[in-house]
Amino acid sequence: MLQIDLSGKVALVTGGARGIGAAISSTLAKAGAQVWVNYAHSEGKAALLCQDIRAGGGTAASVQADITDPEQVRQMVEKVIRESGKIDYLINNAGVTSVKSLLELTSEEWNRVLGVNLDGPFLCCKEVLPHMVAAGQGAIVNISSTGALTGGGGGAHYAASKSALDSLTRALAREYAGHGIRVNGLAPTMIASDFLRQRYPDEQQRSELAALIPLKRLGTPDDVALMTAVLISGFAGYLSGETIVMDGGRTFA
Ligand SMILES: NC(=O)c1ccc[n+]([C@@H]2O[C@H](COP(=O)([O-])OP(=O)(O)OC[C@H]3O[C@@H](n4cnc5c(N)ncnc54)[C@H](OP(=O)(O)O)[C@@H]3O)[C@@H](O)[C@H]2O)c1
């Protein structure tokens, strides 16, 4: 039977305590990886998730860092390396949005969203890649959005941040392929999480949107988590620089 086996591997998941990130943390742990659950504010959720993972026989620990802060990212990676000795997989999942027209957008809000969605992955890659290079292997997954293609997702700030993240994916894939490191992206849309509830607070509106999706349902955090596991595994061993659209068939329907 074909199975994703990540035993002996170490994964760092940013924003890994809730929403899509929590599903990724749990799924990678179920596949056997030792998982580091990064959080900025959700300390309680991170602790509970790690407890759940350990109760299920997995290995997980939490690590606090605001990924927009270079020093906090440096300390986070240093802690993971000190305690686990390596990082095989980096999942740049943390992301934020807000619903704003361009004229409503302040520079502060632009910088906040670009800070988490783009500077964060840049800073995490910058700290993690030297360890992957030294090991001669590794895989990175950047959680993007179909907003990068459609301009949606809340506003120009969000769409621009995710388009730039896709470029970062391609640039790093080129730069690090020779070191045995693969870098890919996953662009979901309409995944049932706090993020979606913030974007569409009205439940009726969410049901109507689900009905418009060709597969007739919202995506789940587990949908994204399973594809993330595939992307870092040997099943995607010849894939790099690609961002996969995961949208129930909606974007190009
Ligand atoms: N849900 C969707 O429909 C959808 C669609 C397209 C793309 N996405 C993308 O999927 C990813 C996860 O989204 P989600 O739906 O799970 O969102 P969510 O439920 O709102 O969770 C956001 C996550 O980002 C973390 N985060 C925010 N700022 C951070 C910072 N400065 N440092 C570290 N972590 C930070 C949060 O951690 P704390 O709670 O600890 O602050 C939280 O874990 C995002 O990149 C998002 O753009 C989601």
Side-chain angles (χ1 to χ4, degrees), residues 122-180:
F122 158 67
L123 293 170
C124 290
C125 287
K126 210 169 149 56
E127 290 298 331
V128 167
L129 273 163
H131 300 285
M132 291 182 170
V133 168
Q137 57 97 43
I140 297 174
V141 174
N142 293 323
I143 304 297
S144 180
S145 165
T146 56
L149 301 169
T150 64
H157 52 336
Y158 182 76
S161 72
K162 294 297 191 179
S163 290
L165 181 63
D166 293 352
S167 289
L168 183 70
T169 297
R170 286 187 288 270
L172 295 184
R174 282 175 75 109
E175 201 173 326
Y176 287 95
H179 295 278

Side-chain angles (χ1 to χ4, degrees), residues 9-13 24-26 28-29 33-37 50 53 59-62:
K9 303 292 189 181
V10 177
L12 172 60
V13 183
I24 294 173
S25 298
S26 298
L28 302 194
Q34 180 187 344
V35 176
W36 284 89
V37 176
C50 291
I53 289 173
T59 310
S62 59

